[in-house]
Amino acid sequence: LESVGSFEYDGFLWNEVTIRGVKGRVVERFSLVVTLKDEEAPLMHICTTDSIRHNPTGAVPPGEGVVWDGTKLYRKSGFIDDMFAPQVVPYVWLGAERRGLSWFVNNTAGMRLAADKPSVRIVRGKGALRLEIDFVNEPSRLDEGHAFAFGFEATPVKNADKSMRRHFQTGPGDCPEGMIARQAVSFHATGFWNNWARRPHNDGWELFKLACERVNTAGAKVEYAAAYAAFTNKHDAELEVYASKLPAIGKQTHFEWIMSCRDYAYKRIMNVDKPGYPFKYSDPTLTWNREEAEEYYKAEWISRPTGYIGATRNFLTPSYLNFILYYHKKEIDLGMKGIYFDDMFPMTCRNPDTCMRADSAGRWHGNFGILEMRELVKRAAVMQHLAGVKPRLMQIHMTNCLLVPSFAFATSMLSWEDHFGEEIFQKRFAVDYMRAESLGTQLGAEAIALDGIQRRQHDEKDWRANRFRFLTRTQQALLLPAGVKIWLRPAIPGNGVDRKELFKILEVLSRFEVWTEDCEFRAFFEDDGAVSGAPREVLIGTYRRPGKTLAIFGDSGGRDVEFDINADAAKLGLKAPFVFTDGESGEQLPGGKVKLPAWDLRLVLITEGK
């Protein structure tokens, strides 16, 4: 057995394995066994291919023996039935919020797996948790020098940037007082004709540059308005011809829809009144089908059909990576700071000219793109660093697919793009689900959740008067004790998140200045008992600064509770007696007595008394 490992400074380890001495012999089984302390690995996160919403996440199942195996993994069928080994599991992470280990493969080359046997098993016994991975589990005659490869990456890979706590991610541009607006700059307002285009129409970058300047400085308002008028007057007739060939959006023609979106985006840029931090949407797997380079390279780039209007679904081949990064560099040079990557999950490439390979047995092996995504994120991160972007926003929209090796160099992750609706959030997302993939602690990145409130059947009058506000509070009761943020996106009235209620809550954090260097955050899962007294089902997170502490109590048990706060002076670095103040209302709470309604939250400021 020969193994060559390539180790990188973020903890990434790639192993290329060769088996010698197997010529003329039958190998029945070849497995890798990774043994962990059971108590150190209460959580698991396992990723399938071609899906961002079906990945097992949460507590490792209880019991002895095999507690989970790969037969339980969701498998979306492709158009080539045998294009990768049956029962393959691309990615497994086991651990806890602050420490864990991921294992992964980038393709199935070298695997010989039976269709009716699980190739990956999680086994518990005698205080140990074993991850068992089969590379061969059916009798196979292998070539001399038979090879396969796999990787490890330990977590966490780095620390999160504390200064990003001050950023509030916003599409409309509205921002809680005291925070910095991280503003989504729409392609509509910058001269692009399509969300997946890599350059504005006719290479007219002046409008893009001025939009970035508006957000960065709150200046250049007259210049931006003039450039917008000149650009649209020059190109709208041509845009209407292009849009006339596209399907209607509801009751609007496609051109009417573009105009309404563009008017909204233009107003958002024009309304900027304070310097902010611009970022822009991109999807590295999609490219506008009118790009000249896309047309030229499509035999190499395109990996599969897609239902998106005007887009092709591409795989991250080397030349396509260069194409993407060239234009991200152009955007950075013109003032764009943040990079947002959508659709970041394993997508099997089915292109035999680039990534799909047949082995000596005639079995096809597709590529999952885990290493290719890593290369994209790593190169983009280095590019941001060399450009002096601070803080460096590299946001990954991973939904339910947290791939540590792919996203290790990212600084922000976006989740919760599922379970939208009218239900309270504690019933949508289990606490163990959050602990396993929503915290950002494995990457050392800020964690952001999508809003997810949508009225479907609830009475509209009661919704506007009570339910919408209450759902926003249940959301924050789950997120804030974990240190997870929210993205305020444009939404129809009564959907998304109750902006007024959200800002009232977040401005408590803003007044406390949770982003300062002297502020330490303790999430509910690592609470040291410095603030206690609440029932077990209440999640407690604390921000601590010299002379004061902000405690966040979020109910996850669904019952009204009352309790007296116990504050440990030594652990908090405070001197008794304490003054307890409701952060939202400003009312003092004598003796630290708190009334917490079911599913709600309370923010309590703890300071030193006289």
Side-chain angles (χ1 to χ4, degrees), residues 183-253:
Q183 186 156 347
V185 178
S186 171
F187 75 96
H188 287 291
T190 53
F192 289 75
W193 276 14
N194 182 283
N195 211 15
W196 302 290
R198 299 292 166 183
R199 54 197 176 104
H201 180 64
N202 208 35
D203 267 341
W205 288 95
E206 183 65 17
L207 186 59
F208 180 91
K209 178 182 177 181
L210 288 168
C212 292
E213 187 175 347
R214 284 283 302 133
V215 178
N216 278 313
T217 69
K221 187 172 185 176
V222 173
E223 294 85 347
Y224 173 74
Y228 178 86
F231 188 92
T232 55
N233 289 339
K234 183 176 181 181
H235 298 296
D236 273 5
E238 187 182 354
L239 175 59
E240 186 171 10
V241 172
Y242 164 71
S244 68
K245 302 172 185 177
L246 301 176
I249 307 293
K251 296 181 180 180
Q252 294 179 305
T253 68

Side-chain angles (χ1 to χ4, degrees), residues 169-459:
Q169 190 155 315
T170 173
D174 298 350
C175 181
E177 191 67 33
M179 292 188 174
I180 295 172
R182 178 191 293 166
Q183 186 156 347
V185 178
S186 171
F187 75 96
H188 287 291
T190 53
F192 289 75
W193 276 14
N194 182 283
N195 211 15
W196 302 290
R198 299 292 166 183
R199 54 197 176 104
H201 180 64
N202 208 35
D203 267 341
W205 288 95
E206 183 65 17
L207 186 59
F208 180 91
K209 178 182 177 181
L210 288 168
C212 292
E213 187 175 347
R214 284 283 302 133
V215 178
N216 278 313
T217 69
K221 187 172 185 176
V222 173
E223 294 85 347
Y224 173 74
Y228 178 86
F231 188 92
T232 55
N233 289 339
K234 183 176 181 181
H235 298 296
D236 273 5
E238 187 182 354
L239 175 59
E240 186 171 10
V241 172
Y242 164 71
S244 68
K245 302 172 185 177
L246 301 176
I249 307 293
K251 296 181 180 180
Q252 294 179 305
T253 68
H254 204 95
F255 182 67
E256 289 171 339
W257 174 79
I258 289 174
M259 292 296 101
S260 63
C261 293
R262 196 177 70 184
D263 287 346
Y264 177 85
Y266 171 72
K267 290 174 183 176
R268 299 284 71 75
I269 297 296
M270 288 296 288
N271 287 344
V272 170
D273 59 0
K274 294 179 182 178
Y277 186 107
F279 77 100
K280 178 176 170 287
Y281 173 95
S282 74
D283 188 327
T285 72
L286 295 173
T287 296
W288 191 30
N289 58 15
R290 287 173 60 95
E291 297 276 14
E292 291 179 354
E294 192 278 342
E295 179 67 20
Y296 185 85
Y297 282 98
K298 62 183 178 182
E300 177 185 338
W301 291 358
I302 295 176
S303 64
R304 66 180 64 206
T306 180
Y308 291 108
I309 296 173
T312 61
R313 179 74 76 185
N314 296 337
F315 191 77
L316 293 169
T317 60
S319 63
Y320 185 55
L321 268 173
N322 291 340
F323 174 69
I324 292 171
L325 291 169
Y326 175 86
Y327 285 106
H328 278 296
K329 176 64 165 59
K330 179 82 171 179
E331 292 181 357
I332 289 174
D333 288 344
L334 294 176
M336 185 60 67
K337 290 181 177 177
I339 294 177
Y340 173 109
F341 286 142
D342 201 3
D343 275 344
M344 294 290 273
F345 60 95
M347 296 187 197
T348 48
C349 181
R350 300 171 168 89
N351 190 338
D353 291 336
T354 53
C355 297
M356 213 161 94
R357 295 287 184 270
D359 61 24
S360 59
R363 182 174 290 172
W364 285 95
H365 299 277
N367 190 308
F368 304 138
I370 292 175
L371 295 185
E372 285 76 7
M373 283 189 284
R374 174 179 171 81
E375 184 71 5
L376 169 68
V377 173
K378 184 166 62 172
R379 288 178 59 184
V382 171
M383 185 172 68
Q384 286 182 310
H385 172 71
L386 293 176
V389 175
K390 290 183 180 180
R392 186 179 64 79
L393 174 66
M394 169 74 67
Q395 188 167 92
I396 307 296
H397 193 163
M398 42 70 67
T399 301
N400 170 231
C401 192
L402 177 56
L403 298 168
V404 171
S406 299
F407 311 151
F409 289 82
T411 62
S412 180
M413 49 169 275
L414 191 63
S415 61
W416 284 19
E417 197 189 24
D418 48 0
H419 307 309
F420 282 23
E422 301 178 327
E423 187 58 273
I424 62 173
F425 278 81
Q426 292 88 337
K427 292 184 178 181
R428 302 189 209 183
F429 298 99
V431 171
D432 285 341
Y433 178 99
M434 282 191 61
R435 294 170 62 208
E437 65 94 74
S438 302
L439 301 175
T441 50
Q442 293 100 324
L443 295 180
E446 70 165 1
I448 299 182
L450 292 183
D451 38 39
I453 302 176
Q454 291 183 350
R455 189 181 74 86
R456 291 173 176 166
Q457 297 179 333
H458 201 92
D459 175 72

Side-chain angles (χ1 to χ4, degrees), residues 6 45 86 114 137 152 161 182 190 214 302 309 315 366 415 461 520 560 572:
S6 302
H45 181 56
N137 67 10
F152 287 119
D161 187 340
R182 178 191 293 166
T190 53
R214 284 283 302 133
I302 295 176
I309 296 173
F315 191 77
S415 61
K461 184 177 180 181
E520 176 194 0
D560 296 349
L572 295 178

Side-chain angles (χ1 to χ4, degrees), residues 29-159:
R29 182 177 170 190
F30 191 94
S31 303
L32 170 70
V33 179
V34 182
T35 306
L36 305 173
K37 290 182 178 180
D38 187 26
E39 63 186 20
E40 294 281 349
L43 304 171
M44 70 178 195
H45 181 56
I46 301 164
C47 294
T48 185
T49 61
D50 305 315
S51 175
I52 54 175
R53 295 182 179 89
H54 294 88
N55 299 301
T57 305
V60 177
E64 296 282 309
V66 178
V67 297
W68 188 91
D69 67 51
T71 61
K72 299 177 177 65
L73 193 67
Y74 173 81
R75 300 175 189 279
K76 186 175 181 180
S77 60
F79 61 83
I80 302 177
D81 291 338
D82 61 349
M83 75 167 199
F84 48 72
Q87 294 296 330
V88 65
V89 177
Y91 177 89
V92 178
W93 173 86
L94 295 170
E97 298 90 344
R98 291 290 185 189
R99 185 161 65 171
L101 183 68
S102 64
W103 169 90
F104 50 94
V105 290
N106 203 46
N107 55 51
T108 59
M111 292 184 177
R112 300 288 188 272
L113 303 178
D116 58 349
K117 295 179 183 178
S119 68
V120 171
R121 300 166 295 280
I122 300 175
V123 184
R124 180 183 286 111
K126 298 181 180 180
L129 200 67
R130 299 197 312 275
L131 175 62
E132 299 180 351
I133 302 140
D134 296 340
F135 291 92
V136 178
N137 67 10
E138 63 178 359
S140 303
R141 290 190 176 274
L142 306 180
D143 296 334
E144 182 64 19
H146 183 82
F148 57 89
F150 64 91
F152 287 119
E153 183 143 16
T155 57
V157 298
K158 62 182 183 303
N159 293 320

